[in-house]
Amino acid sequence: MPRVPRPAVTLEDRPVDGHKRVLLAAPRGYCAGVDRAVVAVDKALERYGSPVYVRKQIVHNKHVVSELEQRGAIFVDEVDEVPEGSHLVFSAHGVSPMVKEAAAERELQTIDATCPLVTKVHREATRFAKQDRQILLIGHVGHEEVEGTAGHGGENVTIVNSPDEADTVVVPDPDNVVWLSQTTLSVDETMETVNRLRARFPNLQNPPSDDICYATQNRQVAIKKVAAESDLVIVVGSSNSSNSVRLVEVALQHGAKASYRIDYADEIQQEWLDGVETVGVTSGASVPEVLVQETIDALATAGYGDVAEVQTAVEDLMFSLPKELRKDLEHDDRGLGGHGGGVSSKS
């Protein structure tokens, strides 16, 4: 994809008491679900030509959205903004059944790029609702993923927005309650919410498996280790990226004296580096590695040229492309590209 030009970054190399270094967290950046969604839009543009419409942001990253717009993707808020019969991609965060029905009514050719791990939560919400269980959905009100999951659970869903709300939430049947969660939350905060819910509802049931995305967990584990040795942690990611915002919070909770989120390297403020020996760097799950590298390059101009990677896990999970797109690409005999080759296990 064409690069969106950004200003060159040159910071001052000011002296500090000790040795300047960067600790680079791993894993970081793109997860399998994000990679799949971005490749899906890219391949759709290649296969069908411009425009290809996308409901909401395909992933929560300003840079990715800008580059796809340059290629001919058009991002819309709702399906009624899409001309009838057009190609429409559902974002990685997923949609409710009502959105799919609205798209069908307009005869849109949809490509469902919902992360398979989010789809798993959707299926859980649907199943629990059919069993008439009360679903406490831990997540942020207004987030696309939460809206989609709530749509699958219908009237059985009550959203719990924070640990404090766990102390006041009301359900019709306290003995028939199960919890689900948004996949991109802080692991620690989610478990605090669950524990406070269970104190009020002793029969609260757990989901069949952990809802929080493996990538979210892995990035939080990595930044905890980095933050313990860092004066400053820089998280590359957009403001509407829940998992990126959580990384800032986790860094501050686990030893970093300061932590800031940036979209681009030119947002680094010189005063952040005053007296700083060790800078920790990571990125949210929707951030391409090129933005991390530009951050590393900018820090090098300030004397932080010693970079050590701190690895806490190895990720090798890959998802096949959405079936609608895969079918057309196979028909064209053009190959799948990207991560279209299937799923392998994750570490």
Side-chain angles (χ1 to χ4, degrees), residues 80-134:
D80 59 10
E81 301 173 50
V82 183
E84 292 187 5
S86 299
H87 288 94
L88 173 67
V89 181
F90 294 138
S91 80
H93 309 104
V95 297
S96 70
M98 288 181 59
V99 172
K100 292 184 178 181
E101 291 168 8
E105 289 175 2
R106 295 185 66 78
E107 298 184 344
L108 300 179
Q109 301 179 63
T110 58
I111 299 168
D112 190 355
T114 302
C115 173
L117 301 180
V118 174
T119 299
K120 176 184 75 71
V121 182
H122 288 178
R123 289 172 178 159
E124 291 170 352
T126 300
R127 178 160 55 87
F128 292 140
K130 287 181 178 178
Q131 296 170 352
D132 203 27
R133 296 190 188 184
Q134 306 300 313

Side-chain angles (χ1 to χ4, degrees), residues 73 81 104 113 117 123 197 243 265 282 286 293 322 344-345:
E81 301 173 50
L117 301 180
R123 289 172 178 159
L197 286 170
N243 73 91
T282 189
S286 52
Q293 188 56 55
S344 66
S345 63

Side-chain angles (χ1 to χ4, degrees), residues 3-320:
R3 292 283 289 112
V4 176
R6 298 294 299 182
V9 181
T10 303
L11 298 163
E12 296 178 30
D13 186 355
R14 296 177 180 174
V16 298
D17 291 338
H19 174 66
K20 289 184 175 182
R21 62 174 181 161
V22 171
L23 297 181
L24 182 58
R28 62 183 178 276
Y30 269 14
C31 63
V34 164
D35 188 67
R36 172 182 186 262
V38 175
V39 171
V41 177
D42 193 49
K43 291 293 183 181
L45 287 165
E46 179 182 313
R47 169 64 177 81
Y48 310 119
S50 176
V52 166
Y53 293 84
V54 184
R55 183 183 181 274
K56 308 292 186 181
Q57 293 187 356
I58 185 65
V59 296
H60 285 161
N61 185 262
K62 183 188 298 185
H63 174 83
V64 171
V65 169
S66 295
E67 292 199 331
L68 289 172
E69 282 179 332
Q70 285 193 345
R71 288 211 54 204
I74 297 177
F75 294 86
V76 299
D77 286 328
E78 297 300 342
V79 296
D80 59 10
E81 301 173 50
V82 183
E84 292 187 5
S86 299
H87 288 94
L88 173 67
V89 181
F90 294 138
S91 80
H93 309 104
V95 297
S96 70
M98 288 181 59
V99 172
K100 292 184 178 181
E101 291 168 8
E105 289 175 2
R106 295 185 66 78
E107 298 184 344
L108 300 179
Q109 301 179 63
T110 58
I111 299 168
D112 190 355
T114 302
C115 173
L117 301 180
V118 174
T119 299
K120 176 184 75 71
V121 182
H122 288 178
R123 289 172 178 159
E124 291 170 352
T126 300
R127 178 160 55 87
F128 292 140
K130 287 181 178 178
Q131 296 170 352
D132 203 27
R133 296 190 188 184
Q134 306 300 313
I135 302 167
L136 294 176
L137 176 57
I138 302 170
H140 298 136
V141 173
H143 191 282
E144 287 105 291
E145 183 187 327
V146 172
E147 291 178 347
T149 301
H152 284 267
E155 296 180 355
N156 290 60
V157 171
T158 300
I159 298 172
V160 183
N161 198 60
S162 68
D164 287 342
E165 287 192 9
D167 298 333
T168 59
V169 65
V170 176
V171 295
D173 184 355
D175 292 322
N176 186 31
V177 185
V178 63
W179 69 271
L180 298 175
S181 76
Q182 181 181 331
T183 63
T184 55
L185 298 180
S186 159
V187 177
D188 296 336
E189 183 175 325
T190 299
M191 293 319 299
E192 179 186 351
T193 303
V194 171
N195 290 336
R196 288 165 73 165
L197 286 170
R198 183 161 282 118
R200 297 185 59 220
F201 310 119
N203 293 325
L204 178 69
Q205 299 177 48
N206 296 323
S209 60
D210 190 354
D211 285 344
I212 295 179
C213 164
Y214 78 94
T216 296
Q217 296 187 54
N218 287 349
R219 279 146 192 73
Q220 290 176 17
V221 169
I223 202 57
K224 285 178 183 179
K225 187 170 183 179
V226 166
E229 301 181 51
S230 299
D231 303 302
L232 165 70
V233 167
I234 294 175
V235 177
V236 185
S238 292
S239 60
N240 61 339
S241 166
S242 177
N243 73 91
S244 297
V245 174
R246 299 290 84 72
L247 286 171
V248 173
E249 296 172 354
V250 170
L252 291 171
Q253 291 164 358
H254 288 83
K257 298 179 178 67
S259 183
Y260 300 97
R261 180 202 55 77
I262 61 172
D263 272 292
Y264 297 101
D266 56 84
E267 297 171 10
I268 298 173
Q269 302 297 306
Q270 181 71 52
E271 57 267 26
W272 296 352
L273 303 174
D274 289 346
V276 168
E277 296 177 23
T278 301
V279 181
V281 175
T282 189
S283 58
S286 52
V287 178
E289 182 65 12
V290 64
L291 300 184
V292 177
Q293 188 56 55
E294 289 175 358
T295 300
I296 297 297
D297 293 344
L299 290 169
T301 68
Y304 299 90
D306 180 2
V307 180
E309 189 169 68
V310 178
Q311 186 161 24
T312 56
V314 176
E315 296 176 353
D316 60 3
L317 180 67
M318 295 186 292
F319 294 128
S320 59

